[in-house]
Amino acid sequence: MKTIFAYSTLFTILLSQNFPVLGTNDSFDFMTWNIEWFPKNGQTTINYVAEIIEDIDIDVIAMQELDDRDLFDQMISSLDGYAGYYDSSWFAGLAFIYNTETVQVNDIYEIYTTSPYWNAFPRSPMVMDLNFNGVNYFLINNHFKCCGDGNLDLTDDSDEEKRRYDAINLLREYIDENLSNQNVIVLGDLNDDIAESQINNVFQLIINDPNYEFVDYQIASGSSSDWSFPNWPSHLDHILVTDELFDELMYSQVETIKLDQYIDGGWNEYDYNISDHRPVFMQLAQNVILGDVSGDGAINILDVVMIVQIVIGNDEIVQSADFNSDGYINILDVVQLIQIIIS
């Protein structure tokens, strides 16, 4: 049974900057973003992307389709409090950008790098082993083979759908054998639909596996307006987590971030200067005690005051303020928290 996520416009109430603030103090905040041949339009792209990274204020960005290492390094050097890793020698390379104040990187490495796996992986998956707030996570960044005719032919190794089928199942095999019992997050441009019919769904085996869950499944099966690839309306960019993280999902947020809506020229401007993909973002809750906004381990009148400040826009959002878990922080949370305190 699929976990129900409240992916909502919660973040869009924060409009004090050009782009929405997505990061919070009590969650691990990350996203996958195909940046389409970075820098797509030279210095204009660099300026836009640097501004977006600084404004959204999250912990890790897994990027795909980078084309210029020197310009990537130039952009990273212009950012305050961020570092980047782009050491992929593959066509349309992979990279990570991370907040140096919140993330401790233990290691970054590639897997499935030898020739027997090149058919499944045109770009070798890139693994980041990191600690955030004392918790260890493994993020696996991917960019699967594109294209195809929509039909999965398991007898043809050159079939694009078969290559993606092999890729996702090799990743599952790697995780099961090497990262069992770890907090694993697989993300990236996986170049296929997770919500299509079972017979042609390259992800069906892992969808059926109770130890894994695509946290963006509700987006993929919902309105096309929320999909990550508008030019050929489809949802291609995904986030998959292992069962070690299932307990945190109820209080987590998943959303396609429509950055184009924060630009005067809208989608045309975004597509011309930044990318043809929208990022898919996850706010992963950590040890949430609903209502304990102050983080002192107790629910009391101080938490009521702090939720009121969030509702009226005087303080930043923290996930524990959503006391009734409806995906919104509003007066209902205040009323219900007061009722609990009184009783």
Side-chain angles (χ1 to χ4, degrees):
M1 182 177 181
K2 290 290 171 188
T3 303
I4 302 299
F5 291 92
Y7 71 97
S8 68
T9 56
L10 169 66
F11 308 112
T12 60
I13 66 173
L14 296 170
L15 297 175
S16 59
Q17 303 183 68
N18 290 334
F19 296 96
V21 178
L22 304 179
T24 72
N25 293 330
D26 61 352
S27 59
F28 179 37
D29 307 309
F30 57 88
M31 72 186 193
T32 175
W33 193 9
N34 181 320
I35 200 66
E36 196 193 4
W37 299 111
F38 176 88
K40 186 176 185 178
N41 192 22
Q43 191 63 44
T44 300
T45 302
I46 294 170
N47 294 343
Y48 262 127
V49 174
E51 181 182 0
I52 290 167
I53 292 170
E54 290 182 333
D55 285 358
I56 64 176
D57 190 25
I58 68 174
D59 302 302
V60 178
I61 302 172
M63 284 186 165
Q64 304 88 42
E65 212 165 294
L66 287 93
D67 192 43
D68 192 311
R69 182 174 301 158
D70 290 339
L71 292 180
F72 175 81
D73 291 341
Q74 172 190 317
M75 180 187 70
I76 294 299
S77 67
S78 72
L79 298 172
D80 184 23
Y82 287 89
Y85 182 91
Y86 173 25
D87 197 27
S88 174
S89 60
W90 306 100
F91 172 78
L94 307 177
F96 282 110
I97 296 175
Y98 58 95
N99 187 319
T100 56
E101 296 180 3
T102 62
V103 173
Q104 173 192 326
V105 175
N106 303 316
D107 197 7
I108 300 178
Y109 54 93
E110 292 181 336
I111 58 176
Y112 292 121
T113 58
T114 57
S115 58
Y117 302 108
W118 292 350
N119 191 59
F121 295 107
R123 292 150 288 259
S124 295
M126 181 180 286
V127 183
M128 174 184 274
D129 171 359
L130 66 92
N131 285 6
F132 176 84
N133 279 348
V135 180
N136 185 223
Y137 298 95
F138 289 83
L139 272 63
I140 306 180
N141 187 7
N142 297 271
H143 189 182
F144 285 4
K145 178 68 177 70
C146 76
C147 311
D149 60 5
N151 298 310
L152 173 60
D153 183 354
L154 295 177
T155 67
D156 181 3
D157 286 340
S158 66
D159 176 66
E160 284 89 351
E161 284 77 16
K162 172 64 159 55
R163 293 173 69 179
R164 292 191 287 275
Y165 173 92
D166 289 341
I168 192 64
N169 289 302
L170 283 168
L171 282 174
R172 181 174 65 155
E173 179 180 309
Y174 178 85
I175 295 166
D176 289 347
E177 293 181 358
N178 298 279
L179 298 174
S180 178
N181 302 317
Q182 300 291 339
N183 298 312
V184 181
I185 299 161
V186 176
L187 71 174
D189 178 359
L190 305 190
N191 258 320
D192 216 322
D193 180 10
I194 59 176
E196 68 178 322
S197 62
Q198 292 188 20
I199 190 171
N200 289 311
N201 195 324
V202 304
F203 307 107
Q204 196 60 50
L205 291 181
I206 205 163
I207 289 172
N208 293 342
D209 190 328
N211 298 313
Y212 294 86
E213 184 159 344
F214 279 105
V215 296
D216 61 310
Y217 192 92
Q218 189 175 354
I219 299 174
S221 59
S223 170
S224 61
S225 64
D226 293 319
W227 292 348
S228 64
F229 190 65
N231 284 344
W232 184 276
S234 50
H235 187 63
L236 305 177
D237 306 271
H238 305 297
I239 301 175
L240 175 77
V241 302
T242 55
D243 59 348
E244 289 78 13
L245 294 169
F246 284 3
D247 287 346
E248 285 79 11
L249 296 186
M250 183 176 295
Y251 309 116
S252 298
Q253 302 283 343
V254 182
E255 186 175 5
T256 301
I257 305 301
K258 301 173 185 177
L259 295 170
D260 50 287
Q261 295 185 354
Y262 299 87
I263 299 174
D264 288 340
W267 175 256
N268 289 337
E269 173 77 6
Y270 178 84
D271 187 16
Y272 186 78
N273 286 307
I274 302 175
S275 177
D276 56 356
H277 286 247
R278 290 165 169 161
V280 178
F281 166 78
M282 184 171 190
Q283 184 182 88
L284 182 64
Q286 282 194 318
N287 304 317
V288 174
I289 300 176
L290 291 182
D292 181 23
V293 184
S294 66
D296 63 1
I299 296 175
N300 50 41
I301 194 64
L302 174 60
D303 299 301
V304 174
V305 172
M306 294 181 71
I307 294 179
V308 169
Q309 291 300 308
I310 292 172
V311 171
I312 64 177
N314 289 343
D315 208 345
E316 67 180 46
I317 289 175
V318 293
Q319 192 58 41
S320 57
D322 182 17
F323 186 66
N324 62 5
S325 298
D326 65 354
Y328 301 89
I329 299 173
N330 53 35
I331 194 64
L332 291 178
D333 298 296
V334 176
V335 171
Q336 292 183 27
L337 186 59
I338 291 174
Q339 290 173 341
I340 291 295
I341 293 172
I342 292 174
S343 63

